[in-house]
Amino acid sequence: MKAFRLVPVLMVALMLVTGCDFFRSLVGKPTSKDLERMRQEAVEQARKQRIQDSVNKARELELEKARAAEQANLLDESTGRYHVILGSFKVEGNAAKMNAMLEKNGYTPRVIEFNNGFEVVSVAAYDNYWDALKAMNDIMEYEFCPEDVWIYDIRQNMHVRQQ
């Protein structure tokens, strides 16, 4: 009978001495060291993923910024240095109305945003000042043309340029 009492006591002592890792390894489960290593690997993988996500987001923002700058910088000397301006508007929507009216009359106008918040409507762009001046005089003959037509040189850099 003492032998039967000795077996449970030995098993309890064995469990206290060896802990759960012994039994976990017997049944093929990960031990506490394995679990800690897996946790560390998961933390490291999450850190690497956060870094990669940040890099991807930065690249995406840089690409988006480059696209926006490309769109904003369509107004450069390749489109013509001198723009014939038919209107300058502070109230939102007025430039769009002028733009629509010019399109209706067969022109392909461009709205240019200025640094001071004004939007100006360019009816044409030329590389040569004298060509722009001639075009300005020609368009002033039309009934729809306002009296305050002027020529804008893009080298004045009054328009919005996104870097």
Side-chain angles (χ1 to χ4, degrees), residues 7-155:
V7 171
V9 170
L10 285 176
M11 287 197 56
V12 168
L14 184 65
M15 286 177 73
L16 289 175
V17 172
T18 60
C20 293
D21 284 343
F22 173 74
F23 291 106
R24 290 183 69 79
S25 65
L26 285 178
V27 294
K29 299 279 184 179
T31 63
S32 59
K33 288 181 182 178
D34 295 335
L35 291 173
E36 181 62 25
R37 183 182 41 79
M38 290 188 312
R39 188 187 70 75
Q40 288 291 340
E41 287 173 359
V43 166
E44 182 64 21
Q45 182 65 26
R47 186 185 69 76
K48 287 180 181 178
Q49 187 62 46
R50 282 193 308 272
I51 290 170
Q52 187 62 41
D53 289 346
S54 295
V55 168
N56 290 344
K57 184 68 174 173
R59 284 183 184 151
E60 184 179 307
L61 288 173
E62 193 64 34
L63 205 72
E64 194 173 299
K65 189 176 178 182
R67 280 190 211 116
E70 183 180 311
Q71 287 294 330
N73 287 330
L74 287 177
L75 184 65
D76 59 13
E77 289 194 33
S78 67
T79 61
R81 176 178 169 184
Y82 301 99
H83 287 261
V84 179
I85 306 297
L86 264 65
S88 176
F89 306 97
K90 187 76 170 183
V91 176
E92 192 173 321
N94 286 347
K97 289 176 188 174
M98 172 69 86
N99 200 21
M101 187 269 302
L102 290 171
E103 285 176 345
K104 187 176 84 174
N105 285 296
Y107 289 94
T108 54
R110 167 181 276 141
V111 176
I112 304 169
E113 186 178 340
F114 272 28
N115 295 328
N116 62 1
F118 278 83
E119 291 180 330
V120 299
V121 179
S122 167
V123 72
Y126 298 92
D127 293 324
N128 184 312
Y129 177 78
W130 301 109
D131 292 339
L133 189 60
K134 181 183 178 322
M136 183 179 85
N137 288 329
D138 289 345
I139 200 164
M140 288 179 76
E141 299 296 323
Y142 291 104
E143 195 174 298
F144 65 83
C145 184
E147 294 177 14
D148 57 344
V149 178
W150 50 283
I151 296 175
Y152 171 60
D153 181 355
I154 65 168
R155 290 188 182 171

